[in-house]
Amino acid sequence: MTTTAVPATDLGFLLHKHPDRVQEFDRSFGTATVFYPESGEERCTAALLLEVDPIALVRSRGKNSPDFSLSQYVNDRPYAASSLLAVALGDVFRTARAGRCKARPELPGRPMPLEIRLPALPCRGGPELAVRLFEPLGWAVEARAVPLDEGFPEWGDSRYVRLTLSGTVRLADALNHLYVLLPVLDDGKHYWIAPDEVDKLVRAGEGWLYGHPERGLIMRRYLGRRWALARTALARLAELGDETEEQLEPAVDEDAAAGETAADEAAAAEAEAQGEAPEVKPKALNVRRREAVLETLEELGATSVLDLGCGQGELVGALLARPRFARVAGMDVSAMALTIAARKLRLDRMPDSKRARLTLFQGALTYTDKRLSGYDAAVLMEVIEHVDPPRLAALELVVFGHARPQHVLVTTPNIEYNPRYEFLTGLRHRDHRFEWSRAEFAAWASRVAGDYGYQVTFKPVGDDDPEVGPPTQMGVFTR
Ligand code: SAH
């Protein structure tokens, strides 16, 4: 990867790898080496050399893996820029991919002239496909098929392509393009497709994959033709819901620590193959938030609940599953969200007794609406931060002034917690109009409670960090 931005040595800062050093990273499938063949003011090139150890590769696979054959031992992996290169690039340049640079925070946001060369890229679909995938992302693409054997042109081309990409692109984007598209072109993703592949795709594809003209092909291939996973990924890439933040995990700052990921994955696969239960992951924040809301509603003794900005209906579903909630309503401004909610809730197949307890309707929180009256409690879960600050007063009036339920539960991100998220650069979601500190939220909530005759108490949701507080904050208003 070469840049001609001046000073070109900034590439070292961005990649978090010093141009004067040769660094090796051991991975379960081989060794990745990062070095700089040239590093001058005018031109700087960083190289990632991956030496795949085919034996280690076989060993790190689960016993039940489908491909127990000679091809495990004799294959192109050591020689080609396969999905393994993407895995190596993904974790060796993890910090760069997240667009973070402590030493020079202004650098990652800047597009820079880049040239990326991949001498032997397995490319199912030929050079044309490489063009179709990279061109829409702003790359000038030169893709040439490598002949099977230069001595025998009549044998035709191999499935390998010599690829050169040039463009003025942010480095983090460039790395994420490669991270996603190399396995897509390779189309021979050898390791298991785990549900967390969706998380990886959603993270790496943020900002460019959803609008890509070949999105369908990219997702199908990346996810190994698992349609269900591809659909999940698509729903999450859409602006719907507020799920980006849940995919973020607390910061692990050093790239060095990332080495564990590949090994852990292999170990987990191995354990699973031997019938052991995989290690239980801590509960995702969205799950903990839903549980906190449900628990609070139960404590308050609410039996009719209005979920305002219900998104894809996850809370609505959980409420319906508990018979104590006799009436449940979900409202959202997005018709698309409601359509997905109806599908996820299997509205068409819902037993009549359950169906009778549920109302789903479209509406906007900034206009008074008779349909909002008559519930014990209203929930605004991760919704207020989607409303423009000048429109908040309207929301307050609609919810606290007109609907006036006995209780209102409001959850919103605690911005103080954001530095704990490794992949986060700005706010937690593209559509967030603001995120508040604990003090800002408390000030808003107390003022609203005072204005409309409510009392408010606060509850942390998620691990309450001694320094920065919990990831989510909740205000519980009672009339
Ligand atoms: N409560 C859900 C979804 C949160 S995402 C959850 O916690 O998973 C925010 C949701 O608020 C989106 O579905 C969005 O469509 C909705 N929303 C944003 N502004 C709104 C408004 N003015 N009126 C109604 N819904 C709104």
Side-chain angles (χ1 to χ4, degrees):
M1 172 181 288
T2 300
T3 185
T4 48
V6 178
T9 43
D10 277 353
L11 189 60
F13 285 107
L14 280 163
L15 290 173
H16 290 246
K17 303 286 175 277
H18 199 287
D20 291 345
R21 282 169 59 194
V22 174
Q23 277 175 277
E24 288 195 348
F25 301 84
D26 284 324
R27 293 295 176 259
S28 60
F29 47 84
T31 305
T33 306
V34 178
F35 61 100
Y36 291 74
E38 57 182 338
S39 78
E41 288 289 295
E42 310 283 319
R43 201 179 144 86
C44 180
T45 299
L48 173 64
L49 171 75
L50 178 63
E51 264 194 277
V52 172
D53 174 352
I55 303 299
L57 192 58
V58 172
R59 250 193 251 119
S60 70
R61 300 174 65 155
K63 274 191 208 132
N64 297 346
S65 99
D67 182 24
F68 192 76
S69 66
L70 187 62
S71 68
Q72 286 189 93
Y73 297 91
V74 183
N75 58 42
D76 66 356
R77 302 295 91 170
Y79 315 107
S82 69
S83 52
L84 288 175
L85 182 69
V87 173
L89 172 144
D91 60 31
V92 167
F93 298 132
R94 175 175 289 230
T95 313
R97 228 161 36 87
R100 284 186 295 117
C101 182
K102 267 197 202 121
R104 304 278 306 279
E106 77 289 358
L107 282 184
R110 286 190 201 146
M112 64 198 301
L114 288 171
E115 189 182 286
I116 296 172
R117 277 151 298 170
L118 293 143
L121 174 70
C123 201
R124 220 178 58 87
E128 304 75 29
L129 185 62
V131 174
R132 257 161 59 207
L133 295 189
F134 283 103
E135 238 176 32
L137 299 169
W139 295 104
V141 183
E142 201 193 303
R144 249 187 248 147
V146 177
L148 259 183
D149 190 317
E150 276 162 14
F152 299 88
E154 66 277 17
W155 289 2
D157 290 333
S158 69
R159 68 183 192 99
Y160 301 90
V161 162
R162 181 184 303 278
L163 183 73
T164 306
L165 305 171
S166 359
T168 301
V169 177
R170 290 176 354 134
L171 184 72
D173 291 339
L175 292 170
N176 281 319
H177 295 163
L178 294 173
Y179 179 72
V180 172
L181 296 180
L182 293 189
V184 165
L185 289 167
D186 182 12
D187 201 23
K189 220 162 180 247
H190 56 284
Y191 49 86
W192 296 4
I193 307 292
D196 75 334
E197 287 297 320
V198 174
D199 294 353
K200 291 181 190 163
L201 180 61
V202 168
R203 265 186 227 164
E206 236 234 344
W208 61 271
L209 181 51
Y210 192 71
H212 196 296
E214 297 292 348
R215 183 182 76 198
L217 178 139
I218 294 171
M219 293 204 307
R220 276 197 312 277
R221 282 200 180 182
Y222 186 92
L223 297 172
R225 299 174 188 283
R226 302 266 175 114
W227 292 92
L229 289 178
R231 268 201 311 274
T232 309
L234 182 59
R236 283 170 43 181
L237 281 163
E239 281 86 6
L240 288 171
D242 199 6
E243 301 198 357
T244 316
E245 65 191 81
E246 278 96 53
Q247 310 324 318
L248 303 164
E249 277 158 16
V252 182
D253 229 310
E254 296 308 312
D255 283 337
E260 288 160 24
T261 332
D264 286 352
E265 261 168 35
E270 192 72 41
E272 218 167 69
Q274 288 167 3
E276 294 164 24
E279 206 179 313
V280 181
K281 275 198 177 173
K283 274 186 195 165
L285 184 56
N286 62 330
V287 175
R288 298 183 71 168
R289 201 154 46 214
R290 194 160 64 234
E291 286 175 353
V293 166
L294 288 165
E295 197 175 288
T296 308
L297 289 170
E298 288 180 3
E299 278 167 20
L300 296 170
T303 61
S304 55
V305 179
L306 176 59
D307 186 12
L308 296 168
C310 63
Q312 303 185 10
E314 270 152 15
L315 178 65
V316 167
L319 288 163
L320 282 177
R322 289 167 174 73
R324 65 146 63 221
F325 298 109
R327 278 191 306 128
V328 176
M331 189 260 244
D332 204 284
V333 75
S334 156
M336 171 99 137
L338 291 168
T339 305
I340 295 177
R343 201 182 61 225
K344 284 194 173 175
L345 293 165
R346 298 169 184 267
L347 209 60
D348 52 340
R349 274 177 277 164
M350 199 178 268
D352 289 345
S353 58
K354 206 178 197 182
R355 182 71 189 80
R357 292 161 55 216
L358 171 67
T359 318
L360 274 184
F361 61 98
Q362 191 185 11
L365 275 163
T366 42
Y367 299 92
T368 55
D369 190 331
K370 288 203 188 70
R371 296 172 295 178
L372 307 185
S373 308
Y375 292 88
D376 294 341
V379 177
L380 288 157
M381 186 163 83
E382 307 298 285
V383 171
I384 57 169
E385 65 276 8
H386 291 265
V387 176
D388 279 325
R391 306 291 292 150
L392 264 185
L395 175 145
E396 293 160 19
L397 182 70
V398 168
V399 177
F400 296 89
H402 280 260
R404 287 194 75 64
Q406 194 65 30
H407 309 283
V408 181
L409 273 56
V410 179
T411 79
T412 194
N414 164 22
I415 195 171
E416 295 168 80
Y417 191 89
N418 286 6
R420 295 284 186 270
Y421 291 122
E422 182 188 4
F423 284 91
L424 193 60
T425 42
L427 297 182
R428 295 189 203 176
H429 191 274
R430 231 172 307 143
D431 187 52
H432 284 180
R433 309 305 156 93
F434 59 86
E435 283 170 2
W436 280 335
S437 66
R438 285 167 291 176
E440 287 168 316
F441 180 54
W444 174 81
S446 308
R447 203 259 305 140
V448 171
D451 285 356
Y452 292 100
Y454 283 77
Q455 301 270 322
V456 63
T457 57
F458 299 95
K459 282 190 183 180
V461 181
D463 294 329
D464 199 351
D465 186 293
E467 215 177 299
V468 297
T472 299
Q473 39 190 348
M474 175 156 74
V476 182
F477 297 77
T478 298
R479 186 147 64 96

